[in-house]
Amino acid sequence: MAEQARLLAGVSAAAPKEPENLDALLRPMMTALVTMLLEHPDSARVIYIDAPRMELRRRGVLRKDAEVMGRLLRRSAPRPRDRVRHERLMLTLVAGFSEVITDWLERGMTDDPDVLIEHPTGIAAALLSGAC
């Protein structure tokens, strides 16, 4: 899916190469994601609302997102000791992000983008700091 590839490329490009901590890694990634979704709301709906109606496609989108997130997180955290646990954690994070974004889209994208960036960044940092 071209829209998902564009989002993943933008998020990946926003991730600092050598972040000081998880927040310094996650905040620019979430900012890039929210900014791109605001700039392209039709694409956002295709990725987060229309695609999830097709279960196999939705699962593929989440797995790809989780794979990219896991790769990017290695910039701020050591390689995980338990690969399966780490993959499941990444899948949990991106599935949660997907639900938050879907809710935001369905409510007309009216929430303050800074709050939309802050909440998932803080939640992810809290979960990851105990898991890495």
Side-chain angles (χ1 to χ4, degrees):
M1 174 186 328
E3 293 91 355
Q4 180 198 15
R6 183 181 52 76
L7 280 178
L8 289 175
V11 169
S12 295
K17 299 292 184 211
E18 296 181 22
E20 293 180 24
N21 55 42
L22 283 170
D23 189 78
L25 175 67
L26 293 167
R27 188 167 307 280
M29 291 166 53
M30 289 304 303
T31 300
L33 176 64
V34 170
T35 300
M36 287 185 293
L37 293 175
L38 281 168
E39 291 171 354
H40 304 281
D42 291 339
S43 293
R45 291 193 70 79
V46 167
I47 294 166
Y48 290 99
I49 295 174
D50 297 340
R53 290 187 183 136
M54 298 177 287
E55 186 59 23
L56 289 177
R57 191 169 187 188
R58 183 184 75 83
R59 299 281 310 146
V61 166
L62 291 176
R63 287 193 181 282
K64 179 65 176 172
D65 289 356
E67 178 185 311
V68 170
M69 176 69 86
R71 240 187 355 261
L72 292 170
L73 284 173
R74 288 192 195 114
R75 295 179 181 181
S76 178
R79 187 168 292 279
R81 291 184 297 266
D82 184 335
R83 183 186 56 79
V84 173
R85 182 176 188 268
H86 182 73
E87 287 173 0
R88 289 178 176 156
L89 177 59
M90 294 304 101
L91 189 56
T92 299
L93 283 174
V94 299
F97 291 162
S98 179
E99 289 302 314
V100 168
I101 290 167
T102 299
D103 180 65
W104 175 62
L105 291 168
E106 289 183 334
R107 290 186 295 110
M109 301 171 86
T110 57
D111 292 358
D112 179 347
D114 291 334
V115 173
L116 186 65
I117 293 162
E118 178 63 34
H119 291 167
T121 298
I123 292 165
L127 287 172
L128 291 166
S129 66
C132 296

